[in-house]
Amino acid sequence: MSSAEPTEQTGPAVRSHSEHSEHSEHSEHSEHSEHSEHPGNAPRPAPMPGLAESARLLADSSTTSTTLVADALARIEAAQPTLNAFRHLRVEAALAEAAEADRRLAAGERLPLLGVPVAVKDDTDVAGLPTHFGCDGDRPPVTTDSEAVRRLRAAGAVIVGKTNSCELGQWPFTEGPAFGATRNPWNTAHTPGGSSGGSAAAVAAGLVPAALGSDGAGSVRIPAAWTHLVGIKPQRGRVSVHPHHDAFQGLTVNGPLARTVADAALLLDAAAGAHPDDFHRPPAVRASDAARRDPGRLRIALAWRPPLTLTGAGPDPEVRQAVAALAETLARLGHHVEEARPRYGLIGLTFVPRATAGIAEFAARHPEPALLDPRTRSALRTGTRLGGRVVRAARSREVRQHHRIGALFDTYDVLLTPTTAAPPPRIGTFDQLSAWRTDVTMAAACPYAWPWNVLGWPGINVPAGFTRSGLPVGAQLLGPSRSEERLIALAAQLEDDLRWYERRPPVS
Protein backbone atom coordinates (compact mmCIF):
# COMPACT_ATOMS: atom_id res chain seq x y z
CA MET A 1 0.00 0.00 0.00
CA SER A 2 1.47 3.32 -1.00
CA SER A 3 1.04 6.30 1.29
CA ALA A 4 0.73 8.37 -1.87
CA GLU A 5 -2.61 6.81 -2.78
CA PRO A 6 -5.61 9.11 -2.29
CA THR A 7 -7.36 9.10 1.07
CA GLU A 8 -10.43 7.64 -0.59
CA GLN A 9 -8.59 4.38 -1.22
CA THR A 10 -6.22 3.94 1.68
CA GLY A 11 -5.79 4.62 5.35
CA PRO A 12 -2.72 6.21 6.94
CA ALA A 13 0.67 4.87 5.94
CA VAL A 14 1.76 1.95 8.09
CA ARG A 15 5.05 1.55 9.88
CA SER A 16 7.19 -1.43 8.99
CA HIS A 17 7.35 -4.57 11.13
CA SER A 18 10.85 -3.74 12.34
CA GLU A 19 9.65 -0.49 13.88
CA HIS A 20 7.34 -2.45 16.21
CA SER A 21 9.40 -5.52 16.98
CA GLU A 22 10.61 -4.73 20.47
CA HIS A 23 7.34 -4.47 22.41
CA SER A 24 7.38 -6.32 25.72
CA GLU A 25 4.62 -8.72 26.70
CA HIS A 26 1.57 -7.19 28.37
CA SER A 27 1.06 -8.72 31.76
CA GLU A 28 -0.14 -7.76 35.20
CA HIS A 29 3.22 -9.03 36.39
CA SER A 30 5.51 -7.45 33.77
CA GLU A 31 6.14 -4.09 32.19
CA HIS A 32 3.56 -2.97 29.66
CA SER A 33 4.59 -2.32 26.08
CA GLU A 34 4.59 1.31 25.02
CA HIS A 35 1.22 0.85 23.26
CA SER A 36 -0.46 -1.36 25.87
CA GLU A 37 -2.37 1.44 27.54
CA HIS A 38 -3.19 5.10 27.13
CA PRO A 39 -0.29 7.29 28.20
CA GLY A 40 -0.27 8.95 31.57
CA ASN A 41 -3.60 9.40 33.27
CA ALA A 42 -5.45 10.52 30.16
CA PRO A 43 -9.09 9.41 30.28
CA ARG A 44 -10.07 6.57 27.99
CA PRO A 45 -12.50 7.55 25.26
CA ALA A 46 -16.03 6.30 25.75
CA PRO A 47 -16.56 3.03 23.91
CA MET A 48 -18.25 3.19 20.55
CA PRO A 49 -21.78 1.79 20.86
CA GLY A 50 -22.29 -1.71 19.52
CA LEU A 51 -24.11 -2.55 16.33
CA ALA A 52 -27.60 -2.98 17.78
CA GLU A 53 -27.15 0.00 20.10
CA SER A 54 -25.97 2.19 17.21
CA ALA A 55 -29.03 1.21 15.18
CA ARG A 56 -31.30 1.98 18.15
CA LEU A 57 -29.70 5.39 18.79
CA LEU A 58 -30.11 6.30 15.14
CA ALA A 59 -33.72 5.16 15.01
CA ASP A 60 -34.46 7.16 18.18
CA SER A 61 -32.77 10.26 16.74
CA SER A 62 -30.37 10.19 19.71
CA THR A 63 -27.39 10.52 17.39
CA THR A 64 -26.65 10.88 13.70
CA SER A 65 -24.95 8.65 11.20
CA THR A 66 -22.54 11.47 10.43
CA THR A 67 -21.51 11.53 14.09
CA LEU A 68 -21.04 7.75 14.30
CA VAL A 69 -19.18 7.46 11.00
CA ALA A 70 -16.92 10.42 11.70
CA ASP A 71 -16.16 8.98 15.14
CA ALA A 72 -15.30 5.59 13.64
CA LEU A 73 -13.02 7.17 11.03
CA ALA A 74 -11.26 9.26 13.70
CA ARG A 75 -10.71 6.19 15.89
CA ILE A 76 -9.35 4.24 12.94
CA GLU A 77 -6.95 7.03 11.98
CA ALA A 78 -5.75 7.37 15.59
CA ALA A 79 -5.22 3.62 16.04
CA GLN A 80 -3.68 2.90 12.65
CA PRO A 81 -0.04 3.57 13.66
CA THR A 82 -0.44 1.17 16.60
CA LEU A 83 -2.86 -1.55 15.44
CA ASN A 84 -2.68 -1.25 11.64
CA ALA A 85 -6.11 -2.83 11.26
CA PHE A 86 -7.14 -1.27 7.92
CA ARG A 87 -5.85 -1.57 4.36
CA HIS A 88 -8.26 1.00 2.85
CA LEU A 89 -10.55 3.71 4.19
CA ARG A 90 -13.52 5.30 2.42
CA VAL A 91 -13.37 8.67 4.16
CA GLU A 92 -15.18 10.92 1.69
CA ALA A 93 -17.59 8.27 0.41
CA ALA A 94 -18.50 7.06 3.91
CA LEU A 95 -19.19 10.57 5.16
CA ALA A 96 -21.33 11.28 2.10
CA GLU A 97 -23.26 8.04 2.65
CA ALA A 98 -23.71 8.95 6.33
CA ALA A 99 -25.19 12.33 5.37
CA GLU A 100 -27.59 10.57 3.00
CA ALA A 101 -28.51 8.09 5.78
CA ASP A 102 -29.31 11.05 8.05
CA ARG A 103 -31.64 12.47 5.42
CA ARG A 104 -33.38 9.11 5.09
CA LEU A 105 -33.68 8.72 8.85
CA ALA A 106 -35.10 12.22 9.19
CA ALA A 107 -37.69 11.32 6.54
CA GLY A 108 -38.82 8.38 8.69
CA GLU A 109 -37.12 5.53 6.84
CA ARG A 110 -36.03 2.61 9.00
CA LEU A 111 -33.73 -0.26 8.06
CA PRO A 112 -31.86 -2.70 10.31
CA LEU A 113 -28.48 -0.92 9.94
CA LEU A 114 -29.42 2.41 8.40
CA GLY A 115 -26.48 4.75 9.00
CA VAL A 116 -24.42 2.33 11.11
CA PRO A 117 -20.66 2.12 10.33
CA VAL A 118 -19.20 -1.33 9.67
CA ALA A 119 -16.01 -2.70 8.11
CA VAL A 120 -15.34 -5.59 5.74
CA LYS A 121 -12.26 -7.70 5.08
CA ASP A 122 -9.78 -7.08 2.27
CA ASP A 123 -10.96 -10.20 0.41
CA THR A 124 -14.38 -8.61 -0.11
CA ASP A 125 -15.22 -6.52 -3.17
CA VAL A 126 -16.30 -2.95 -2.45
CA ALA A 127 -16.97 -0.88 -5.55
CA GLY A 128 -14.35 1.81 -6.02
CA LEU A 129 -11.62 0.02 -4.05
CA PRO A 130 -9.11 -2.64 -5.09
CA THR A 131 -9.37 -6.10 -3.56
CA HIS A 132 -5.80 -6.96 -2.64
CA PHE A 133 -6.64 -9.90 -0.31
CA GLY A 134 -3.47 -9.23 1.65
CA CYS A 135 -1.21 -9.24 -1.43
CA ASP A 136 1.41 -6.73 -2.51
CA GLY A 137 1.23 -4.97 -5.86
CA ASP A 138 -1.24 -2.74 -7.64
CA ARG A 139 -4.79 -3.76 -8.35
CA PRO A 140 -7.42 -1.69 -10.15
CA PRO A 141 -10.54 -0.72 -8.20
CA VAL A 142 -13.41 -3.14 -8.67
CA THR A 143 -16.59 -1.79 -10.19
CA THR A 144 -19.19 -3.90 -8.38
CA ASP A 145 -19.89 -4.72 -4.76
CA SER A 146 -19.76 -8.34 -3.66
CA GLU A 147 -23.16 -9.82 -2.82
CA ALA A 148 -22.47 -9.60 0.93
CA VAL A 149 -21.60 -5.90 0.67
CA ARG A 150 -24.64 -5.29 -1.52
CA ARG A 151 -26.82 -6.81 1.18
CA LEU A 152 -25.13 -4.80 3.95
CA ARG A 153 -25.76 -1.63 1.96
CA ALA A 154 -29.37 -2.69 1.38
CA ALA A 155 -29.73 -2.96 5.16
CA GLY A 156 -28.43 0.62 5.41
CA ALA A 157 -24.88 0.02 6.61
CA VAL A 158 -22.10 2.48 5.83
CA ILE A 159 -18.88 0.67 4.84
CA VAL A 160 -16.05 2.72 6.35
CA GLY A 161 -13.18 0.64 5.01
CA LYS A 162 -11.49 -2.69 4.36
CA THR A 163 -9.49 -4.49 7.03
CA ASN A 164 -6.17 -6.24 6.70
CA SER A 165 -5.83 -9.93 5.86
CA CYS A 166 -2.76 -12.08 5.47
CA GLU A 167 -1.89 -13.05 1.91
CA LEU A 168 -4.83 -14.95 0.37
CA GLY A 169 -6.12 -15.72 3.87
CA GLN A 170 -3.79 -18.66 4.41
CA TRP A 171 -2.45 -18.19 7.92
CA PRO A 172 -3.60 -17.53 11.52
CA PHE A 173 -1.69 -14.25 11.65
CA THR A 174 -2.16 -10.95 9.82
CA GLU A 175 1.29 -9.87 8.71
CA GLY A 176 2.90 -9.34 5.33
CA PRO A 177 5.16 -7.10 3.26
CA ALA A 178 2.19 -5.42 1.61
CA PHE A 179 0.96 -3.73 4.78
CA GLY A 180 3.17 -4.64 7.77
CA ALA A 181 1.76 -6.30 10.88
CA THR A 182 -1.72 -5.96 12.31
CA ARG A 183 -1.52 -6.05 16.10
CA ASN A 184 -3.68 -7.30 18.93
CA PRO A 185 -5.31 -4.54 21.01
CA TRP A 186 -5.01 -6.70 24.13
CA ASN A 187 -1.23 -6.75 23.68
CA THR A 188 0.41 -5.19 20.66
CA ALA A 189 3.37 -7.57 20.85
CA HIS A 190 1.00 -10.36 19.76
CA THR A 191 -1.03 -11.15 16.65
CA PRO A 192 -4.81 -10.77 16.65
CA GLY A 193 -4.88 -13.95 14.58
CA GLY A 194 -5.86 -14.41 10.99
CA SER A 195 -6.78 -14.30 8.43
CA SER A 196 -9.55 -11.90 9.52
CA GLY A 197 -7.12 -10.26 11.93
CA GLY A 198 -7.80 -6.72 10.77
CA SER A 199 -11.54 -7.12 11.31
CA ALA A 200 -10.95 -8.65 14.75
CA ALA A 201 -8.51 -5.95 15.85
CA ALA A 202 -10.85 -3.20 14.65
CA VAL A 203 -13.86 -4.57 16.53
CA ALA A 204 -11.96 -5.51 19.69
CA ALA A 205 -10.44 -2.03 19.91
CA GLY A 206 -13.83 -0.39 19.39
CA LEU A 207 -12.94 1.23 16.08
CA VAL A 208 -16.15 -0.08 14.51
CA PRO A 209 -19.18 -1.76 16.09
CA ALA A 210 -18.79 -4.96 14.02
CA ALA A 211 -17.05 -6.25 10.93
CA LEU A 212 -17.36 -8.95 8.32
CA GLY A 213 -14.62 -11.55 8.02
CA SER A 214 -14.20 -14.80 6.16
CA ASP A 215 -13.43 -18.29 7.45
CA GLY A 216 -11.78 -20.99 5.33
CA ALA A 217 -9.99 -22.87 8.13
CA GLY A 218 -10.96 -20.88 11.21
CA SER A 219 -10.22 -17.38 9.92
CA VAL A 220 -13.19 -15.82 11.75
CA ARG A 221 -13.13 -18.04 14.84
CA ILE A 222 -9.36 -17.95 15.48
CA PRO A 223 -9.01 -14.14 15.55
CA ALA A 224 -12.26 -13.91 17.52
CA ALA A 225 -10.75 -16.24 20.13
CA TRP A 226 -7.51 -14.27 20.29
CA THR A 227 -9.24 -10.87 20.62
CA HIS A 228 -12.13 -11.74 23.02
CA LEU A 229 -14.93 -11.53 20.45
CA VAL A 230 -17.90 -13.47 19.21
CA GLY A 231 -17.18 -14.83 15.74
CA ILE A 232 -19.72 -16.78 13.71
CA LYS A 233 -18.77 -19.20 10.94
CA PRO A 234 -22.17 -19.79 9.35
CA GLN A 235 -23.40 -22.68 7.28
CA ARG A 236 -21.82 -22.83 3.82
CA GLY A 237 -23.85 -20.56 1.56
CA ARG A 238 -25.52 -18.64 4.39
CA VAL A 239 -23.62 -15.47 3.40
CA SER A 240 -22.79 -15.32 -0.29
CA VAL A 241 -19.14 -15.36 -1.35
CA HIS A 242 -20.11 -14.05 -4.81
CA PRO A 243 -18.34 -13.17 -7.10
CA HIS A 244 -16.69 -16.45 -6.04
CA HIS A 245 -19.42 -19.06 -6.24
CA ASP A 246 -17.51 -21.75 -4.33
CA ALA A 247 -14.57 -20.04 -2.64
CA PHE A 248 -11.55 -22.21 -1.85
CA GLN A 249 -13.28 -25.37 -3.06
CA GLY A 250 -16.22 -24.80 -0.71
CA LEU A 251 -14.11 -24.25 2.42
CA THR A 252 -14.57 -20.50 2.81
CA VAL A 253 -17.63 -18.68 4.14
CA ASN A 254 -18.20 -15.08 5.23
CA GLY A 255 -19.16 -14.35 8.81
CA PRO A 256 -19.42 -11.60 11.45
CA LEU A 257 -17.14 -10.54 14.29
CA ALA A 258 -18.63 -8.52 17.13
CA ARG A 259 -18.35 -7.95 20.87
CA THR A 260 -21.77 -9.44 21.61
CA VAL A 261 -23.88 -12.29 20.30
CA ALA A 262 -26.73 -9.91 19.47
CA ASP A 263 -24.45 -7.74 17.35
CA ALA A 264 -22.96 -10.73 15.53
CA ALA A 265 -26.46 -12.09 14.88
CA LEU A 266 -27.66 -8.72 13.57
CA LEU A 267 -24.76 -8.49 11.13
CA LEU A 268 -25.35 -12.08 10.04
CA ASP A 269 -29.02 -11.36 9.35
CA ALA A 270 -28.08 -8.27 7.32
CA ALA A 271 -25.40 -10.00 5.23
CA ALA A 272 -27.13 -13.36 4.73
CA GLY A 273 -28.63 -14.45 1.45
CA ALA A 274 -27.63 -15.97 -1.86
CA HIS A 275 -26.68 -14.50 -5.19
CA PRO A 276 -28.63 -16.06 -8.07
CA ASP A 277 -25.46 -17.80 -9.29
CA ASP A 278 -24.47 -19.29 -5.91
CA PHE A 279 -24.03 -23.08 -5.64
CA HIS A 280 -25.09 -23.32 -1.98
CA ARG A 281 -28.46 -21.93 -0.89
CA PRO A 282 -29.49 -23.02 2.63
CA PRO A 283 -32.92 -21.93 3.89
CA ALA A 284 -32.99 -18.65 5.79
CA VAL A 285 -32.47 -18.40 9.54
CA ARG A 286 -33.47 -15.67 11.99
CA ALA A 287 -30.25 -15.12 13.89
CA SER A 288 -31.39 -12.09 15.89
CA ASP A 289 -34.49 -13.92 17.07
CA ALA A 290 -32.30 -16.84 18.13
CA ALA A 291 -30.13 -14.51 20.22
CA ARG A 292 -33.21 -13.74 22.34
CA ARG A 293 -34.32 -17.37 22.68
CA ASP A 294 -33.74 -19.81 25.53
CA PRO A 295 -31.73 -22.70 24.08
CA GLY A 296 -33.40 -25.28 26.32
CA ARG A 297 -31.43 -28.02 28.06
CA LEU A 298 -28.82 -29.32 25.65
CA ARG A 299 -26.53 -32.34 25.50
CA ILE A 300 -23.01 -31.01 24.98
CA ALA A 301 -19.96 -33.07 24.03
CA LEU A 302 -16.62 -31.69 25.19
CA ALA A 303 -13.75 -32.80 22.93
CA TRP A 304 -10.12 -32.17 23.81
CA ARG A 305 -8.54 -34.34 21.15
CA PRO A 306 -8.12 -32.52 17.83
CA PRO A 307 -8.23 -34.26 14.45
CA LEU A 308 -5.00 -35.85 13.29
CA THR A 309 -2.48 -33.20 12.26
CA LEU A 310 0.76 -35.20 12.84
CA THR A 311 1.94 -32.49 15.24
CA GLY A 312 0.84 -34.18 18.47
CA ALA A 313 -0.76 -30.88 19.43
CA GLY A 314 -3.07 -30.65 22.40
CA PRO A 315 -4.35 -27.62 24.24
CA ASP A 316 -2.00 -25.40 26.21
CA PRO A 317 -2.73 -25.85 29.94
CA GLU A 318 -4.14 -22.33 30.23
CA VAL A 319 -6.37 -22.86 27.20
CA ARG A 320 -7.58 -26.16 28.66
CA GLN A 321 -8.29 -24.51 32.01
CA ALA A 322 -10.31 -21.73 30.39
CA VAL A 323 -12.39 -24.07 28.23
CA ALA A 324 -12.95 -26.44 31.17
CA ALA A 325 -14.27 -23.50 33.19
CA LEU A 326 -16.63 -22.62 30.36
CA ALA A 327 -17.84 -26.23 30.29
CA GLU A 328 -18.53 -25.97 34.02
CA THR A 329 -20.56 -22.82 33.37
CA LEU A 330 -22.63 -24.68 30.79
CA ALA A 331 -23.26 -27.46 33.30
CA ARG A 332 -24.27 -24.91 35.94
CA LEU A 333 -26.73 -23.42 33.44
CA GLY A 334 -28.45 -26.81 33.26
CA HIS A 335 -26.86 -28.48 30.26
CA HIS A 336 -25.55 -32.03 30.26
CA VAL A 337 -21.82 -31.85 29.47
CA GLU A 338 -19.54 -34.84 29.07
CA GLU A 339 -16.31 -35.64 27.27
CA ALA A 340 -16.56 -37.35 23.88
CA ARG A 341 -14.45 -38.01 20.80
CA PRO A 342 -15.71 -37.05 17.35
CA ARG A 343 -14.76 -39.58 14.68
CA TYR A 344 -12.73 -37.20 12.52
CA GLY A 345 -10.94 -39.95 10.64
CA LEU A 346 -8.36 -38.77 8.11
CA ILE A 347 -10.26 -35.61 7.28
CA GLY A 348 -6.99 -33.73 6.75
CA LEU A 349 -6.33 -35.75 3.61
CA THR A 350 -9.35 -34.11 2.02
CA PHE A 351 -8.70 -30.66 3.49
CA VAL A 352 -5.19 -30.21 2.03
CA PRO A 353 -6.15 -30.66 -1.65
CA ARG A 354 -9.13 -28.34 -1.29
CA ALA A 355 -7.17 -25.65 0.57
CA THR A 356 -4.14 -25.66 -1.70
CA ALA A 357 -6.22 -25.84 -4.88
CA GLY A 358 -8.15 -22.82 -3.60
CA ILE A 359 -4.94 -20.91 -2.96
CA ALA A 360 -3.69 -21.85 -6.43
CA GLU A 361 -6.87 -20.53 -8.02
CA PHE A 362 -6.53 -17.15 -6.32
CA ALA A 363 -2.73 -16.93 -6.71
CA ALA A 364 -2.94 -17.65 -10.43
CA ARG A 365 -4.97 -14.46 -10.88
CA HIS A 366 -2.28 -12.24 -9.34
CA PRO A 367 -0.87 -9.91 -12.02
CA GLU A 368 2.66 -9.99 -10.51
CA PRO A 369 3.32 -13.51 -9.19
CA ALA A 370 6.89 -12.60 -8.19
CA LEU A 371 5.44 -10.39 -5.44
CA LEU A 372 3.74 -13.32 -3.73
CA ASP A 373 5.22 -14.78 -0.55
CA PRO A 374 7.43 -17.82 -1.31
CA ARG A 375 5.06 -19.88 0.86
CA THR A 376 2.17 -18.82 -1.35
CA ARG A 377 4.08 -19.86 -4.44
CA SER A 378 4.77 -23.23 -2.78
CA ALA A 379 1.05 -23.65 -2.07
CA LEU A 380 0.29 -22.68 -5.65
CA ARG A 381 2.55 -25.47 -6.93
CA THR A 382 1.03 -27.99 -4.51
CA GLY A 383 -2.50 -26.90 -5.33
CA THR A 384 -1.84 -27.18 -9.03
CA ARG A 385 -0.60 -30.75 -8.57
CA LEU A 386 -3.56 -31.65 -6.35
CA GLY A 387 -6.19 -29.96 -8.49
CA GLY A 388 -8.49 -31.66 -10.95
CA ARG A 389 -9.11 -35.33 -10.19
CA VAL A 390 -7.52 -35.26 -6.71
CA VAL A 391 -9.56 -32.34 -5.45
CA ARG A 392 -12.73 -33.80 -6.98
CA ALA A 393 -12.06 -37.03 -5.12
CA ALA A 394 -11.51 -35.08 -1.91
CA ARG A 395 -14.81 -33.28 -2.31
CA SER A 396 -16.64 -36.50 -3.09
CA ARG A 397 -15.79 -37.77 0.40
CA GLU A 398 -17.71 -34.98 2.09
CA VAL A 399 -20.99 -36.90 2.29
CA ARG A 400 -19.27 -39.81 4.07
CA GLN A 401 -17.59 -37.33 6.41
CA HIS A 402 -20.98 -35.85 7.21
CA HIS A 403 -22.27 -39.27 8.19
CA ARG A 404 -19.21 -40.32 10.19
CA ILE A 405 -18.64 -37.09 12.13
CA GLY A 406 -22.33 -36.23 12.19
CA ALA A 407 -23.04 -39.45 14.11
CA LEU A 408 -21.92 -37.48 17.19
CA PHE A 409 -25.12 -35.46 16.88
CA ASP A 410 -27.27 -38.55 17.25
CA THR A 411 -26.24 -38.38 20.92
CA TYR A 412 -25.37 -34.72 21.45
CA ASP A 413 -26.77 -31.36 20.37
CA VAL A 414 -23.56 -29.32 20.42
CA LEU A 415 -19.83 -30.01 20.30
CA LEU A 416 -17.57 -27.86 22.52
CA THR A 417 -13.84 -27.64 21.79
CA PRO A 418 -11.06 -25.11 22.28
CA THR A 419 -10.95 -22.75 19.32
CA THR A 420 -7.15 -22.87 19.32
CA ALA A 421 -4.62 -25.00 21.14
CA ALA A 422 -2.48 -22.00 22.06
CA PRO A 423 -2.85 -18.34 23.05
CA PRO A 424 -2.06 -15.73 20.39
CA PRO A 425 1.58 -15.95 19.25
CA ARG A 426 3.92 -13.01 19.24
CA ILE A 427 4.27 -10.86 16.15
CA GLY A 428 6.95 -12.32 13.92
CA THR A 429 6.59 -15.92 15.13
CA PHE A 430 6.12 -17.12 11.56
CA ASP A 431 8.71 -14.84 9.95
CA GLN A 432 11.29 -16.56 7.78
CA LEU A 433 9.75 -20.01 8.24
CA SER A 434 9.60 -22.32 5.26
CA ALA A 435 6.24 -23.34 3.87
CA TRP A 436 6.49 -26.68 5.66
CA ARG A 437 7.50 -25.16 9.03
CA THR A 438 4.75 -22.55 8.72
CA ASP A 439 2.17 -25.29 8.14
CA VAL A 440 3.45 -27.38 11.07
CA THR A 441 3.56 -24.41 13.45
CA MET A 442 0.11 -23.30 12.33
CA ALA A 443 -1.37 -26.78 12.72
CA ALA A 444 0.05 -27.09 16.23
CA ALA A 445 -1.44 -23.75 17.31
CA CYS A 446 -4.77 -24.11 15.49
CA PRO A 447 -5.78 -27.77 15.07
CA TYR A 448 -9.45 -27.49 16.01
CA ALA A 449 -11.25 -25.15 13.60
CA TRP A 450 -10.69 -26.36 10.04
CA PRO A 451 -12.75 -29.63 10.01
CA TRP A 452 -15.97 -27.61 10.14
CA ASN A 453 -14.93 -25.87 6.94
CA VAL A 454 -14.60 -29.25 5.23
CA LEU A 455 -18.07 -30.17 6.48
CA GLY A 456 -19.57 -26.76 5.67
CA TRP A 457 -21.34 -26.67 9.06
CA PRO A 458 -21.74 -23.72 11.45
CA GLY A 459 -19.66 -22.86 14.49
CA ILE A 460 -19.29 -19.94 16.88
CA ASN A 461 -16.30 -18.77 18.86
CA VAL A 462 -17.16 -17.44 22.30
CA PRO A 463 -14.68 -15.78 24.65
CA ALA A 464 -13.40 -18.28 27.22
CA GLY A 465 -11.21 -16.02 29.33
CA PHE A 466 -7.60 -14.96 29.55
CA THR A 467 -4.19 -16.40 30.26
CA ARG A 468 -2.28 -15.22 33.32
CA SER A 469 -0.50 -12.72 31.08
CA GLY A 470 -3.79 -11.25 29.86
CA LEU A 471 -4.06 -12.87 26.43
CA PRO A 472 -7.56 -13.88 25.28
CA VAL A 473 -8.52 -17.45 24.42
CA GLY A 474 -11.77 -18.87 23.09
CA ALA A 475 -14.00 -21.92 22.78
CA GLN A 476 -15.98 -23.23 19.82
CA LEU A 477 -19.63 -24.18 19.88
CA LEU A 478 -20.05 -26.46 16.86
CA GLY A 479 -23.19 -27.97 15.41
CA PRO A 480 -24.50 -30.08 12.54
CA SER A 481 -25.84 -28.71 9.29
CA ARG A 482 -27.92 -25.53 9.53
CA SER A 483 -27.78 -25.33 13.34
CA GLU A 484 -26.89 -21.64 13.65
CA GLU A 485 -30.00 -20.75 15.64
CA ARG A 486 -29.28 -23.32 18.36
CA LEU A 487 -25.63 -22.27 18.60
CA ILE A 488 -26.53 -18.57 18.72
CA ALA A 489 -29.12 -19.15 21.46
CA LEU A 490 -26.58 -21.10 23.52
CA ALA A 491 -23.88 -18.45 23.00
CA ALA A 492 -26.33 -15.74 24.10
CA GLN A 493 -27.16 -17.67 27.26
CA LEU A 494 -23.45 -17.94 28.07
CA GLU A 495 -23.00 -14.23 27.40
CA ASP A 496 -25.85 -13.32 29.76
CA ASP A 497 -24.07 -15.24 32.51
CA LEU A 498 -20.43 -14.34 31.82
CA ARG A 499 -20.90 -10.78 30.48
CA TRP A 500 -17.64 -10.97 28.56
CA TYR A 501 -18.42 -7.74 26.66
CA GLU A 502 -17.77 -5.71 29.82
CA ARG A 503 -14.02 -6.27 29.57
CA ARG A 504 -12.20 -4.06 27.08
CA PRO A 505 -8.61 -4.13 25.82
CA PRO A 506 -6.06 -1.53 26.91
CA VAL A 507 -5.48 -0.26 23.36
CA SER A 508 -8.42 1.47 21.72
Side-chain angles (χ1 to χ4, degrees):
M1 178 176 66
S2 169
S3 60
E5 290 182 82
T7 305
E8 189 60 26
Q9 291 194 4
T10 183
V14 297
R15 289 191 284 172
S16 69
H17 166 67
S18 60
E19 291 181 89
H20 290 287
S21 60
E22 299 301 325
H23 292 296
S24 61
E25 185 166 348
H26 172 69
S27 167
E28 295 178 359
H29 307 294
S30 63
E31 292 184 6
H32 296 315
S33 70
E34 63 181 277
H35 293 308
S36 289
E37 58 186 351
H38 292 280
N41 295 316
R44 291 169 60 96
M48 171 167 270
L51 198 70
E53 178 67 4
S54 295
R56 185 192 66 78
L57 291 170
L58 288 166
D60 291 348
S61 302
S62 297
T63 190
T64 66
S65 178
T66 299
T67 297
L68 291 179
V69 170
D71 184 29
L73 291 168
R75 289 171 186 259
I76 293 165
E77 293 273 6
Q80 187 70 2
T82 303
L83 298 181
N84 188 26
F86 280 78
R87 184 75 182 264
H88 301 288
L89 291 181
R90 302 180 65 245
V91 177
E92 295 176 8
L95 289 172
E97 290 166 16
E100 176 61 21
D102 286 331
R103 287 190 286 272
R104 294 165 67 185
L105 286 160
E109 186 175 354
R110 295 295 180 265
L111 292 169
L113 296 179
L114 183 54
V116 180
V118 299
V120 300
K121 186 177 175 180
D122 186 35
D123 63 345
T124 306
D125 284 356
V126 176
L129 296 179
T131 301
H132 284 102
F133 202 172
C135 295
D136 205 351
D138 294 327
R139 291 287 185 95
V142 302
T143 58
T144 306
D145 287 334
S146 67
E147 180 66 14
V149 167
R150 188 193 70 78
R151 288 179 177 272
L152 289 175
R153 290 191 196 274
V158 177
I159 311 298
V160 295
K162 298 179 69 173
T163 57
N164 277 324
S165 163
C166 65
E167 192 168 285
L168 302 184
Q170 301 166 79
W171 305 304
F173 55 89
T174 302
E175 302 163 41
F179 58 87
T182 296
R183 294 176 176 273
N184 195 320
W186 293 93
N187 184 325
T188 55
H190 291 256
T191 181
S195 61
S196 304
S199 288
V203 175
L207 311 183
V208 289
L212 197 67
S214 61
D215 190 314
S219 287
V220 163
R221 290 161 289 157
I222 291 166
W226 285 347
T227 58
H228 196 64
L229 296 178
V230 177
I232 301 178
K233 176 218 172 293
Q235 177 76 23
R236 184 185 297 150
R238 178 75 60 214
V239 179
S240 176
V241 293
H242 186 269
H244 312 291
H245 307 305
D246 195 40
F248 285 84
Q249 294 293 324
L251 296 177
T252 294
V253 299
N254 292 323
L257 295 111
R259 294 182 66 232
T260 68
V261 176
D263 283 356
L266 178 57
L267 193 65
L268 179 58
D269 278 339
H275 184 274
D277 294 336
D278 283 348
F279 294 162
H280 311 287
R281 308 172 68 87
V285 296
R286 299 171 65 93
S288 292
D289 288 350
R292 296 186 287 268
R293 186 183 308 151
D294 188 311
R297 186 174 186 271
L298 300 176
R299 303 161 298 168
I300 299 174
L302 171 60
W304 297 113
R305 184 176 180 179
L308 180 67
T309 60
L310 303 180
T311 64
D316 175 275
E318 289 191 276
V319 172
R320 186 180 181 107
Q321 182 179 18
V323 176
L326 192 119
E328 291 172 3
T329 299
L330 288 166
R332 176 171 53 78
L333 291 171
H335 304 290
H336 176 74
V337 182
E338 65 182 30
E339 293 190 15
R341 284 190 177 183
R343 294 177 56 223
Y344 290 115
L346 298 178
I347 192 171
L349 295 180
T350 62
F351 171 76
V352 171
R354 293 172 69 171
T356 56
I359 293 167
E361 289 164 4
F362 275 83
R365 302 187 194 113
H366 196 285
E368 300 176 86
L371 294 177
L372 294 171
D373 189 295
R375 294 169 290 188
T376 301
R377 297 199 298 270
S378 174
L380 189 159
R381 291 189 294 271
T382 301
T384 301
R385 289 195 301 270
L386 297 181
R389 185 169 59 184
V390 175
V391 79
R392 287 194 297 272
R395 297 201 66 169
S396 71
R397 296 187 64 83
E398 189 175 305
V399 172
R400 280 173 283 178
Q401 291 162 340
H402 285 164
H403 288 305
R404 184 181 66 249
I405 300 172
L408 179 85
F409 298 107
D410 294 337
T411 304
Y412 302 100
D413 301 302
V414 173
L415 173 62
L416 170 68
T417 80
T419 302
T420 68
R426 294 180 71 88
I427 295 288
T429 294
F430 295 83
D431 285 0
Q432 308 305 316
L433 294 183
S434 67
W436 171 252
R437 290 304 308 167
T438 297
D439 289 345
V440 169
T441 305
M442 176 171 62
C446 303
Y448 291 102
W450 55 268
W452 249 243
N453 297 87
V454 175
L455 301 171
W457 293 348
I460 300 178
N461 175 79
V462 294
F466 295 83
T467 67
R468 287 186 297 274
S469 60
L471 295 171
V473 295
Q476 290 186 111
L477 305 175
L478 302 170
S481 180
R482 304 174 184 178
S483 59
E484 288 103 322
E485 291 188 356
R486 175 183 294 160
L487 299 178
I488 288 168
L490 180 59
Q493 184 187 50
L494 271 171
E495 180 178 85
D496 286 344
D497 187 82
L498 298 175
R499 303 178 69 84
W500 50 62
Y501 53 82
E502 293 180 347
R503 188 163 177 179
R504 295 174 56 211
V507 178
S508 60

